[in-house]
Amino acid sequence: MIRRLVFVLFLMLSAWPAFAVNPDEVLADPALEARARALSAQLRCMVCQNQSIDDSNAELAKDLRLLVRERIANGDSDAAVIDYVVSRYGEFVLLKPRFETKTLILWGAPVILLLAGVAAMLTAVRRRPTGFTGTPLTEEEKVRLAATLSETEQDSSR
């Protein structure tokens, strides 16, 4: 009984983002609605910040979804809709920032950090001493080592 209840609860919660777009927001034309959903998936909810407005239940996300659908219904292109939203809310509203001069550090930082890591590893490997750098064994140590090795060989042959 409890397993079924947990399973039903899991199914309900796993579909939670699907309830973000309300039926009253959906456009009548399926092609325009598909465009609106694709654009909504690219825009960040300013309240939730790690969800798209398509997935968010926040009131601001709903307003943005309606704005996107209104602009599409008025005949704006996808780029014009995105530009309009960015002009009102800034670049942060984009889940995937544009590749521009001001975002060059954002896009280039992973590559720079990867190259710096590889260079640090190569430097560490090159500085590591190679071969034996300790002092050689004395005659007494050599004799003790030979005796220990011969005892080990005799024990293993038994």
Side-chain angles (χ1 to χ4, degrees):
M1 176 70 178
I2 293 178
R3 284 185 180 179
R4 286 184 184 174
L5 182 63
V6 169
F7 181 70
V8 169
L9 185 64
F10 172 76
L11 287 178
M12 289 174 57
L13 291 177
S14 66
W16 188 268
F19 299 124
V21 177
N22 298 324
D24 62 335
E25 297 175 21
V26 177
L27 294 171
D29 184 1
L32 293 180
E33 179 60 26
R35 281 182 54 206
R37 293 297 293 256
L39 289 175
S40 295
Q42 297 175 27
L43 298 172
R44 179 187 320 270
C45 174
M46 302 301 280
V47 175
C48 307
Q49 295 190 2
N50 284 331
Q51 283 184 318
S52 68
I53 62 170
D54 198 42
D55 295 334
S56 175
N57 288 323
E59 201 59 37
L60 178 62
K62 179 181 179 180
D63 292 344
L64 284 172
R65 285 192 303 267
L66 291 173
L67 176 71
V68 166
R69 282 166 173 74
E70 177 185 321
R71 303 289 296 192
I72 288 175
N74 289 340
D76 286 0
S77 68
D78 292 356
V81 173
I82 294 288
D83 289 341
Y84 179 77
V85 174
V86 168
S87 71
R88 292 186 70 192
Y89 294 96
E91 289 282 330
F92 184 72
V93 77
L94 297 175
L95 282 172
K96 182 180 177 187
R98 298 173 179 164
F99 187 75
E100 296 175 343
T101 307
K102 59 186 171 185
T103 60
L104 190 60
I105 292 175
L106 178 68
W107 286 99
V111 175
I112 292 169
L113 290 174
L114 179 68
L115 292 175
V118 169
M121 286 175 48
L122 289 175
T123 303
V125 167
R126 287 186 179 165
R127 287 185 180 173
R128 186 179 61 189
T130 58
F132 180 70
T133 58
T135 58
L137 296 176
T138 63
E139 287 302 319
E140 180 184 327
E141 292 171 331
K142 288 180 185 178
V143 170
R144 285 182 33 213
L145 179 61
T148 304
L149 289 175
S150 67
E151 288 175 15
T152 306
E153 287 176 7
Q154 289 174 1
D155 289 342
S156 63
S157 65
R158 292 183 192 173

